[in-house]
Amino acid sequence: MKKLSFLITVLLFSAASAFADVYTVCSGKAQVARDSGKYFLNADIAIQYDDLEKNYYLYTKANMTNTKILLSENDLEKIRYALTKYKEWVKIAKEHNVEMDKEIPDSSIETKVFWEHGKDQWHTASGFKLTLKAVSQNLQQHYLVISSNKVISPQSEYINIKLDPLYFNEVNAEALLAALQKEKIESVKEEYNKKKAAQDLFQ
């Protein structure tokens, strides 16, 4: 993995990225459940783009660990689809006054994950699976939930990562879906490239 040629500040996080030319193209809010769902803590997420490798990453903190989940264009489309389907199901749940706990079809993602373990020590593992579900806490509260399996670093069986399930309520899911639209992401990338080209003049 290539070292940073320069540091790009992530809008939501103070930690520096360990990837070259990585910047945020979309950010959002989620929650993580505590005490079996009795209360929730706020969590920030970001979709980042690696301009050198032409890859996307879902960046968050899993169990207080800086975590990057590799995403393709197709994976982003799956997330858009899941958010849209979640909205449809919420409407149905409210109309029929029922609860739901159902995985969204054709939305699972299998990919690689990168996580920080110790200062400036990053690990990676494949076989990382994201599951997207629509889950009701009660008749009034319905969430899109992104969870994962646990994977182990090839370097040590004692170093592993599992995503703290991310809960998106209706407001946060709607905001994320809007921010994830292709035209908005392309607009952010275009603006970044303009600024980068301007800075490249001073060499």
Side-chain angles (χ1 to χ4, degrees):
M1 188 178 301
K2 299 181 179 179
K3 293 290 184 179
L4 280 170
S5 57
F6 58 89
L7 295 179
I8 300 173
T9 303
V10 178
L11 296 179
L12 298 172
F13 308 98
S14 60
S17 170
F19 294 71
D21 283 341
V22 178
Y23 57 96
T24 297
V25 295
C26 165
S27 60
K29 298 286 185 179
Q31 295 174 302
V32 291
R34 290 292 181 266
D35 195 13
S36 300
K38 291 182 180 179
Y39 69 97
F40 289 83
L41 298 177
N42 292 329
D44 293 318
I45 68 153
I47 302 295
Q48 298 182 333
Y49 183 67
D50 187 327
D51 197 53
L52 185 63
E53 300 294 336
K54 309 302 180 186
N55 290 323
Y56 293 93
Y57 299 94
L58 169 61
Y59 176 74
T60 187
K61 287 193 173 182
N63 297 319
M64 301 305 293
T65 299
N66 290 322
T67 306
K68 283 179 176 281
I69 302 165
L70 181 66
L71 297 174
S72 65
E73 290 277 5
N74 186 54
D75 294 333
L76 288 184
E77 189 57 42
K78 285 185 176 182
I79 295 174
R80 293 187 195 100
Y81 166 76
L83 287 163
T84 302
K85 181 60 69 174
Y86 157 79
K87 287 177 57 179
E88 294 175 5
W89 286 359
V90 168
K91 183 179 179 181
I92 293 171
K94 289 182 175 181
E95 288 176 348
H96 294 271
N97 201 36
V98 295
E99 298 182 6
M100 55 184 170
D101 186 348
K102 183 177 177 65
E103 184 175 344
I104 296 175
D106 303 317
S107 65
S108 62
I109 296 170
E110 183 168 350
T111 183
K112 289 183 178 180
V113 62
F114 306 83
W115 72 100
E116 192 173 25
H117 183 83
K119 187 176 180 180
D120 297 326
Q121 293 182 356
W122 285 79
H123 295 262
T124 182
S126 58
F128 194 67
K129 298 179 182 178
L130 295 180
T131 300
L132 290 82
K133 297 180 65 175
V135 176
S136 301
Q137 187 178 35
N138 51 51
L139 291 174
Q140 289 75 43
Q141 293 177 296
H142 311 282
Y143 295 91
L144 175 77
V145 183
I146 301 178
S147 59
S148 80
N149 60 332
K150 182 171 73 173
V151 292
I152 299 171
S153 169
Q155 295 175 290
S156 172
E157 62 180 304
Y158 301 107
I159 300 175
N160 56 69
I161 189 71
K162 182 179 181 180
L163 188 67
D164 255 343
L166 297 169
Y167 286 74
F168 297 86
N169 60 26
E170 291 181 63
V171 172
N172 290 338
E174 182 68 37
L176 181 60
L177 179 59
L180 268 177
Q181 294 306 302
K182 289 182 180 180
E183 59 271 19
K184 290 195 175 183
I185 291 177
E186 290 304 316
S187 177
V188 173
K189 289 162 68 174
E190 183 179 351
E191 184 64 24
Y192 171 84
N193 287 328
K194 286 181 180 178
K195 291 180 179 180
K196 183 178 178 181
Q199 292 302 313
D200 288 344
L201 297 173
F202 304 101
Q203 295 185 13

